Structures are given as C-alpha cells and as structure tokens.
C-alpha cells in the first residue's frame, strides 16, 4: 500500500531553493516514507517526544554527511 504524501506551500517554496543533489537525497527518503508510512524507522524518521499525537514522527534526511 502506498501512503499519500502531503506537503505545505512553505515546503514547496523551500524545495525550490535546494540544489538538485539535495532534492535527489530528499526524494529517496520521501519515497521510503510513501512506501512505509508511519512505520518508517530510524535513521529515516524518529519519534517526537511530548507530542499530543503519540505516533507523530519527524522525517530525517542525510545530505553529504
């Protein structure tokens, strides 16, 4: 099952400022997110402590390091 990925206008504006290399690295992790959804594990995502939504996670992307 593919998960639906949504993003904000702010993300779209930020995306346009990235280099093509950085966009490629981000694409890889977003593809994993679409494939695994909230089950995407570390090092690609991590839980957010103190969230009122117990399952909230942040996406983690490595680019050149």
């Amino acid at each position: 099952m593919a998960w639906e990925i949504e993003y904000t206008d702010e993300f779209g504006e930020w995306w346009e400022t990235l280099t093509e290399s950085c966009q490629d690295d981000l694409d890889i992790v977003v593809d994993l997110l679409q494939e695994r959804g909230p089950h995407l594990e570390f090092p690609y995502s991590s839980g957010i402590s103190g969230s009122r939504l117990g399952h909230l996670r942040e996406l983690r992307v490595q680019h050149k390091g």
Side-chain angles (χ1 to χ4, degrees), residues 15 18-29 31 63:
W15 174 266
L18 301 176
T19 64
E20 185 175 343
S21 174
C22 191
Q23 287 178 352
D24 290 344
D25 288 346
L26 189 56
D27 270 339
I28 291 168
V29 179
D31 286 346
H63 177 70

Side-chain angles (χ1 to χ4, degrees), residues 5-37:
I5 305 297
E6 297 180 10
Y7 63 90
T8 63
D9 292 339
E10 290 84 2
F11 175 86
E13 292 170 9
W14 173 73
W15 174 266
E16 294 300 322
T17 69
L18 301 176
T19 64
E20 185 175 343
S21 174
C22 191
Q23 287 178 352
D24 290 344
D25 288 346
L26 189 56
D27 270 339
I28 291 168
V29 179
V30 171
D31 286 346
L32 287 172
L33 177 63
Q34 186 173 22
E35 179 182 307
R36 300 180 190 164

Side-chain angles (χ1 to χ4, degrees), residues 20-62:
E20 185 175 343
S21 174
C22 191
Q23 287 178 352
D24 290 344
D25 288 346
L26 189 56
D27 270 339
I28 291 168
V29 179
V30 171
D31 286 346
L32 287 172
L33 177 63
Q34 186 173 22
E35 179 182 307
R36 300 180 190 164
H39 307 291
L40 181 62
E41 296 180 355
F42 185 84
Y44 303 108
S45 76
S46 62
I48 297 178
S49 299
S51 167
R52 59 188 168 92
L53 303 172
H55 61 280
L56 191 61
R57 299 185 65 81
E58 68 177 345
L59 192 62
R60 301 171 61 106
V61 178
Q62 290 285 319

